[in-house]
Amino acid sequence: VSEHTSKRRILVIDDSDAIHKDFRRVLSPERKSSLAELAQLEDELFGVTSEVPPPSEELFEVDSAFQGREGLEKVREALASGRPYALVFLDYLMPPGWSGVETLREIRKLTATVPVVICSAYTDYSWEELTREFGEGPLLSELRKPFNHQELYQLALRLTG
Amino acid sequence: MGVPIAIVIALATLASYLHISRLVRDSTLSHLAQHVAERVQREQFVLLLAQDNQAVLNKELEERIRAWRQQDRVTEHLPGAYNLIFRDDGQLLAHPEMRVESGKPAYNILGTGESGSTVGTAAQRAHLRAIFERVKGRSPEQTVLELPEHGEYLAVARLSGPDWNFVTVLPEREVSSAALSAARYVLVFGLASLLLELVIVFWVLRELEQRIDTRTRELKDVQSKLVEAARRAGMAEVATNVLHNVGNVLNSVSTSAMLAKERLAGLRLEHVARVAGLLEENRPRLGPFLTEDERGRKILPFLSQLGNHMKEEHRELRELLDDVRRYTEHIGTIVKLQQGYARHSRVKEPVALEGLLDEAVRINEAALARHKVVVVRALEPLPPVVTERHKVLMILINLISNAKYAMDAVPENKRCLTLKVARAQGERIHLEVSDTGMGIAPELLTRIFQYGFSTREQGHGFGLHSSALAARELGGTLTVHSAGPGQGASFVLELPLHSTQGAS
């Protein structure tokens, strides 16, 4: 449980399966124990020459929601359980349900402090309108698809730090 | 509108004519009566003067008779009329045509005089007899009589004293011709109005026809513009979807490729060379090195661990590259579909419906899988259909996508999409997309095809509209059947097997 609480919880709300896979691959990659053993053996054989950093503990815990309503429910549950999300990635277009803006509106009714990143491939929205409604600042930012995985990792690190 | 007015004008003209002719007839007859009365009064005065003197009377009478016989003043006022005088006993005293030669005894209408002369023709005599009978048979106060069998009016006055009857005969045709001449302006005016009215009606009808023509042309223009707008809107929607989908898929391609690159770097291939170098160094006493040396003993476990690691990494690399291939193909499909839309030259080609259905399902595959929709196919083997491929594909994609949305509200284990292909009557094929979804209320069955109508919050209302239009362009039809809310729905696309005709 202590391990869980130390992780930064991230919620991804997107209607595409593949996108969830991308987020997981970048933010919480599988760390295999075999890799640690191999690194240990390398050290013993060749001295401490390995360029690969020792496997760090996973920093992020990624949750998935495929529609706006589902996402809102997860935010509500996380708040109720006392382990709120540190960051929400929100797709802009999620037919047939709520759009990103509608979902954001509902999330803001629950919590005003969780940072939200609007993440979309199609710019059918005006950023000006979004900031006019939800305010400027670190609580609302934008990530265009396709994103660079390092950019994503750094963004998550920064916004949850 | 024109015909009732024409009838009204005709009736009004006829009524005016009848009214005027009655007025004219009445006035002519009263004029006749007055004329007779005046004449008799004048003659009466002369007779009164001569009353006391038999000789004067006789002389006067003779003169009167002569004068009357010459008819110099009898017909002075009434054209077509003539006067005659006869005695109660039947003796004819004056008639314009039936004259007795001087010195002969007078003609008796009743033909009783033993020494009576004969005048005129038999027809004239019979006519005269009829007049006589009619006058004798009248009641005393009657002054104007009708003689219908001869078509005449008779005005009668009696000269007191000698028991003479003064009769003016007026043929009826004179009355009606007077009426006709009086009423002819009415008739002419009426006919002119009628003609004018007909001309106006004709003109209005022609104008109306032209306006209908113009309106029809305008409506056709608007319709084609609307179709074009719907098509553009449909294309805009497709473009939005394409951008959205391509963007998403590209994201996965890029992530997979980057991770693959990282994995490749993490394969530690350089260690193989380092181990080889270590073995080379100890080549003379390789056995003892591997079994006794502190470092050498670790080489075999390391190689085995490295092998495992590489196998693992290789598997993941393959998985990542597989994803890259899959996503790239997906993008290819999206782009191909987009090209299909962009190329709206109407190219007809033989299309295998089975493949087309597969493609339509594949494009919706991710969503269908996510929504746990079971897809059932009931495909009758059919020869390729000659039609416009991309249009049919667009319709099918649309119908499948709609079906998926329609089943959002039903439990996951009850989401079933059925695709049916069969041959229909008359060289047509029947493509059916049925769902077990929310169904359609009867009042919405026609509205769902309307431009801009959507039951979905996010819907544009172009999908079914442009699909129905496309079906028509292909010479086919798109229809819907639903037993009502909660009963599912099925859309049927019927297409000609050989699409030769195409509605404009």
Side-chain angles (χ1 to χ4, degrees), chain B residues 402-476:
Chain B
N402 282 349
K404 184 205 69 192
Y405 282 127
M407 292 188 283
D408 276 355
V410 303
E412 282 183 0
N413 60 350
K414 286 188 179 145
R415 296 177 183 170
C416 179
L417 175 73
T418 307
L419 306 172
K420 225 183 270 175
V421 176
R423 197 168 189 142
Q425 280 188 331
E427 291 291 289
R428 286 168 87 82
I429 53 126
H430 173 107
L431 274 156
E432 191 174 331
V433 178
S434 326
D435 63 64
T436 52
M438 64 204 289
I440 302 162
E443 66 270 19
L444 295 183
L445 280 175
T446 50
R447 284 197 65 203
I448 56 168
F449 291 107
Q450 281 171 13
Y451 178 82
F453 179 78
S454 178
T455 53
R456 295 201 298 272
E457 210 177 317
Q458 295 283 311
H460 295 101
F462 301 139
L464 277 178
H465 180 74
S466 43
S467 294
L469 288 179
R472 213 172 57 185
E473 284 169 7
L474 296 171

Side-chain angles (χ1 to χ4, degrees), chain A residues 16-50:
Chain A
S16 160
D17 275 329
I19 291 295
H20 288 280
K21 203 166 163 187
D22 293 345
F23 273 101
R24 282 175 197 279
R25 275 175 170 169
V26 174
L27 296 177
S28 58
E30 274 180 75
R31 300 280 169 169
K32 288 175 289 289
S33 54
S34 67
L35 193 65
E37 271 176 54
L38 187 66
Q40 179 71 32
L41 280 168
E42 271 173 27
D43 288 350
E44 287 168 17
L45 259 180
F46 309 113
V48 189
T49 53
S50 173

